[in-house]
């Protein structure tokens, strides 16, 4: 009898696991249903940029050249895509470092959205200069979500609060995060990302 109960419990757990894996994924922000994704990526190290897992560092203080340490994820076209991740700056002697990008791949390649941080903790949109948050100081964890409905809108959330909504054209895009020197910025900086997740609908 005891063996039958144990076997029944194992079967029930297996069934519940299958049901759970088939259910839509719950994202932190935005209305669903969402489907979890696990896109592939390439590591980009240029100039004085180094990447070790989810640790990204610019070791130099130069204000010129291509200084980057990033993950570049695969291109997507159409639909709605959500990125989520948390960053924690572990040291920052520089300023104006881009942490998260939504990059246009086609029809014209180029940066579409760039979230950057100034020394002192101000978070801002590089294009336009809009302040999106504060308190991103050394040692503080900050969660970032971007929800991109291609051909409609791109929304930015900081710690779960909507901070920016801009229009989006159609085309192909991809996500990047890490540490990247903006045209007016310089290192050195060290930042660790965690909790990286992607969804689509």
């Amino acid at each position: 009898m005891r063996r039958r109960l144990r076997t029944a419990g194992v079967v029930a757990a297996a069934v519940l696991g299958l049901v759970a894996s088939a259910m839509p994924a719950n994202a932190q922000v935005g209305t669903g249903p969402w489907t979890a994704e696990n896109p592939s990526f390439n590591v980009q190290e240029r100039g004085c940029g180094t990447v070790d897992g989810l640790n990204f560092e610019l070791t130099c203080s130069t204000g010129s050249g291509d200084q980057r340490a990033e993950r570049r994820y695969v291109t997507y076209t159409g639909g709605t895509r959500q990125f989520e991740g948390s960053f924690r700056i572990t040291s920052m002697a520089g300023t104006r470092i881009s942490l998260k990008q939504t990059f246009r791949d086609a029809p014209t390649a180029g940066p579409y959205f760039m979230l950057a941080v100034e020394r002192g903790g101000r978070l801002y949109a590089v294009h336009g200069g809009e302040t999106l948050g504060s308190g991103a100081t050394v040692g503080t964890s900050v969660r970032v979500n971007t929800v991109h409905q291609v051909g409609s809108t791109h929304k930015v959330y900081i710690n779960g609060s909507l901070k920016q909504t801009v229009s989006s054209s159609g085309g192909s895009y991809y996500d990047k995060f890490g540490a990247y020197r903006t045209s007016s910025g310089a290192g050195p900086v060290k930042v660790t990302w965690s909790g990286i997740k992607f969804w689509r609908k």
Side-chain angles (χ1 to χ4, degrees):
M1 180 67 175
R2 195 171 294 170
R3 178 177 292 179
R4 287 181 184 174
L5 288 173
R6 190 182 303 124
T7 302
V10 171
V11 171
V15 170
L16 286 172
L18 289 172
V19 170
S21 65
M23 292 174 66
N26 291 321
Q28 289 281 4
V29 300
T31 57
W34 296 95
T35 300
E37 291 191 306
N38 187 27
S40 60
F41 62 87
N42 293 320
V43 171
Q44 296 184 337
E45 295 176 314
R46 296 181 187 170
C48 65
T50 63
V51 179
D52 179 13
L54 287 172
N55 300 300
F56 305 84
E57 182 177 7
L58 302 181
T59 59
C60 60
S61 59
T62 180
S64 61
D66 188 0
Q67 315 299 333
R68 72 175 68 217
E70 294 181 304
R71 281 188 179 186
R72 190 273 202 208
Y73 282 80
V74 296
T75 299
Y76 59 84
T77 303
T80 302
R81 313 290 173 134
Q82 181 172 172
F83 162 87
E84 177 180 294
S86 296
F87 70 85
R88 180 173 56 87
I89 298 168
T90 57
S91 68
M92 188 173 187
T95 191
R96 301 182 72 83
I97 302 297
S98 178
L99 301 170
K100 163 66 173 70
Q101 301 182 44
T102 304
F103 212 87
R104 183 182 288 110
D105 201 17
T108 303
Y112 165 67
F113 166 76
M114 298 174 68
L115 173 69
V117 62
E118 291 179 335
R119 187 170 57 245
R122 173 181 173 254
L123 292 169
Y124 67 99
V126 172
H127 302 96
E130 179 183 356
T131 297
L132 302 182
S134 61
T137 52
V138 172
T140 302
S141 181
V142 178
R143 194 177 85 235
V144 179
N145 292 73
T146 55
V147 179
H148 187 195
Q149 185 177 357
V150 178
S152 180
T153 59
H154 182 277
K155 298 181 178 182
V156 181
Y157 296 78
I158 304 297
N159 291 328
S161 297
L162 179 62
K163 297 298 183 179
Q164 184 191 60
T165 302
V166 296
S167 62
S168 168
S169 61
S172 299
Y173 296 82
Y174 56 87
D175 290 298
K176 302 174 75 174
F177 67 85
Y180 168 71
R181 186 193 71 82
T182 67
S183 60
S184 59
V189 63
K190 294 181 182 179
V191 58
T192 297
W193 280 85
S194 62
I196 307 303
K197 298 176 184 177
F198 293 87
W199 297 275
R200 64 175 172 82
K201 69 173 182 177

